[in-house]
Amino acid sequence: MTDADDLRARTRALLADRPPATTSRADFLAARFDAGLAWVHYPEGLGGLGAARSLQSVVDAELAAAGAPDNDPRRIGIGLGMAAPTILAYGTEEQKRRFLRPLWLGEEVWCQLFSEPGAGSDLAALSTRAVLGDDGVWTVIGQKVWTSSAHLARWAILIARTDPAQPKHRGITYFLCDMTDPGVEVRPLRQITGEAEFNEVFLTDVRIPDAHRLGEVGDGWQVARTTLMNERVSIGGSTGGRESGMIAPLARTWREHPERRTHALHQRLITLWVEAEVARLTGERLRQQLAVGQPGPEGSGLKLSFARLNQQISGLEVELLGDEGLLYDDWTMRRPELVDFTGRGPGYRYLRSKGNSIEGGTSEVLLNIVAERVLGLPTEPRTDKDVAWKDLAR
């Protein structure tokens, strides 16, 4: 049984064998993965040691104290937070060994091909088709939208309809899609911030071998739910300390501009500060729950809170700054590698936070999930539950 002392010893042995000061970043990360110290709760040979998930912090603390490089988790967040746990849960041994190592090392960036122009909030209504040929290769035709990192990605997690005669939640299959396929076309979507971190992706006769199917044929919705639950924890669960995240620049602005303080603004600041701290601690509690199981619908509530708080906090920051808050730092069209809320100005934070209530599941959908799966309230009436997808009105 691997315990904290054993992990400290293993980490110190890694640091002694591969001193960060004299070892290249790539070599150090590869050695860390091979030593089972990448994600300690994963199986041996896949970057882990089969240890308790809660013990990852022991390794991270030792590495941080030694100045060791990390794998730039914000840049590869979709791979780490969504693709990896899904591949671990449903992938074959061959798939796990092929994809998890380069994913964690950041050698292969991932994106998520789920939402479509006609199937955003109602994701199960997706119409992208996948047809299996006699040669054991699937041909995929369709369009996806709001795809973060598609312009950087080597691989994508993809869901497509494989049996239109089944109801919409059935007849969906989950695939691992090669983004370098000539049938994949990525187009930028310029946002209100001026950037194009999102993309639309057109899939024209994209060929996916059956070996890149994840889970059983027709079981894609169940596989996708694993991805979605991990996604919401990944988006909503901040790992920073007290007064981190979006509340940090607001608190700094408050301290730097005493002349703009009013009693009403102070009350709003205190309320949001407390709520941000509650959300942070709730996220920590949820991560501890993950140490002994899989993410559940509670992550939807955390993501709901994340979106609401970001929008309210950024709005108060702009208001506190007065005329200065109306300025915008840079409208340059760029395709960034990651979203940097705290590295840009208040105007950017205000505009970008508007997307928080859409990405990773709209707030309206998440409210339903919390109501039905957390609070146990009656489900909304559904007339399409047992109707074949091909017979639904569109």
Side-chain angles (χ1 to χ4, degrees), residues 25-26 29-30 33 71 75-76 100-107:
R25 178 177 179 274
L29 292 176
F33 185 94
N71 59 351
R75 185 179 71 91
I76 58 174
L100 291 179
R101 191 175 191 272
L103 182 158
W104 189 87
L105 295 176
E107 295 172 349

Side-chain angles (χ1 to χ4, degrees), residues 143-147 150-151 179 184-190 196-202 204 333 335:
Q143 180 185 355
K144 300 291 182 175
V145 75
W146 311 125
T147 308
H151 55 296
M179 292 294 288
V184 178
E185 180 186 0
V186 178
R187 300 180 189 175
L189 281 176
R190 193 172 190 189
E197 84 196 47
F198 291 134
N199 304 269
E200 53 184 346
V201 179
F202 294 84
T204 305
M333 161 63 172
R335 305 184 78 183

Side-chain angles (χ1 to χ4, degrees), residues 192-252:
I192 194 173
T193 60
E195 297 181 335
E197 84 196 47
F198 291 134
N199 304 269
E200 53 184 346
V201 179
F202 294 84
L203 306 165
T204 305
D205 296 330
V206 175
R207 291 173 58 79
I208 300 179
D210 193 54
H212 288 172
R213 169 174 47 84
L214 202 62
E216 299 299 323
V217 174
D219 197 33
W221 184 252
Q222 185 64 33
V223 181
R225 285 182 61 185
T226 298
T227 303
L228 294 171
M229 287 188 291
N230 279 282
E231 176 185 27
R232 288 157 191 166
V233 173
S234 177
I235 292 176
S238 171
T239 58
R242 176 174 289 188
E243 204 173 280
S244 59
M246 289 282 274
I247 198 68
L250 173 58
R252 183 172 61 250

Side-chain angles (χ1 to χ4, degrees), residues 44-323:
E44 292 189 39
L46 298 176
L49 296 166
R53 183 171 185 156
S54 58
L55 292 176
Q56 184 66 52
S57 60
V58 174
V59 174
D60 294 344
E62 290 285 334
L63 294 176
D70 63 21
N71 59 351
D72 199 1
R74 290 198 302 165
R75 185 179 71 91
I76 58 174
I78 293 175
L80 293 175
M82 302 170 211
T86 310
I87 293 171
L88 182 66
Y90 289 94
T92 63
E93 286 303 312
E94 182 180 356
Q95 289 170 338
K96 294 173 189 176
R97 295 190 180 278
R98 162 61 185 88
F99 292 109
L100 291 179
R101 191 175 191 272
L103 182 158
W104 189 87
L105 295 176
E107 295 172 349
E108 295 178 343
V109 176
W110 286 70
C111 67
Q112 179 188 32
L113 298 177
F114 278 26
S115 294
E116 300 183 4
S121 296
D122 187 12
L123 178 59
L126 63 89
S127 59
T128 293
R129 289 292 311 278
V131 178
L132 182 62
D134 295 336
D135 57 355
V137 177
W138 296 84
T139 299
V140 181
I141 302 174
Q143 180 185 355
K144 300 291 182 175
V145 75
W146 311 125
T147 308
S148 301
S149 301
H151 55 296
L152 306 168
R154 172 65 173 81
W155 292 95
I157 45 178
L158 162 72
I159 49 177
R161 189 162 303 281
T162 50
D163 189 352
Q166 293 288 332
K168 64 182 184 180
H169 287 85
R170 300 196 290 272
I172 294 173
T173 303
Y174 198 114
F175 299 96
L176 308 177
C177 175
D178 186 346
M179 292 294 288
T180 65
D181 190 289
V184 178
E185 180 186 0
V186 178
R187 300 180 189 175
L189 281 176
R190 193 172 190 189
Q191 299 147 239
I192 194 173
T193 60
E195 297 181 335
E197 84 196 47
F198 291 134
N199 304 269
E200 53 184 346
V201 179
F202 294 84
L203 306 165
T204 305
D205 296 330
V206 175
R207 291 173 58 79
I208 300 179
D210 193 54
H212 288 172
R213 169 174 47 84
L214 202 62
E216 299 299 323
V217 174
D219 197 33
W221 184 252
Q222 185 64 33
V223 181
R225 285 182 61 185
T226 298
T227 303
L228 294 171
M229 287 188 291
N230 279 282
E231 176 185 27
R232 288 157 191 166
V233 173
S234 177
I235 292 176
S238 171
T239 58
R242 176 174 289 188
E243 204 173 280
S244 59
M246 289 282 274
I247 198 68
L250 173 58
R252 183 172 61 250
T253 298
W254 176 265
R255 295 180 180 116
E256 292 174 352
H257 295 280
E259 76 282 0
R260 296 177 181 172
R261 301 173 187 171
T262 67
H263 176 72
L265 290 175
H266 188 227
Q267 290 301 111
R268 288 168 61 190
L269 171 64
I270 291 298
T271 299
L272 290 173
W273 194 99
V274 170
E275 291 186 3
E277 180 65 6
V278 169
R280 184 184 73 84
L281 294 174
T282 301
E284 179 59 34
R285 178 184 177 188
L286 186 58
R287 285 190 295 276
Q288 291 176 5
Q289 291 174 337
L290 290 179
V292 294
Q294 293 296 320
E298 296 85 0
S300 297
L302 191 63
K303 196 268 174 180
L304 263 173
S305 177
F306 166 84
R308 178 183 62 82
L309 278 171
N310 274 4
Q311 292 170 0
Q312 292 182 353
I313 289 170
S314 62
L316 179 57
E317 183 184 13
V318 168
E319 185 176 345
L320 180 61
L321 287 169
D323 292 345

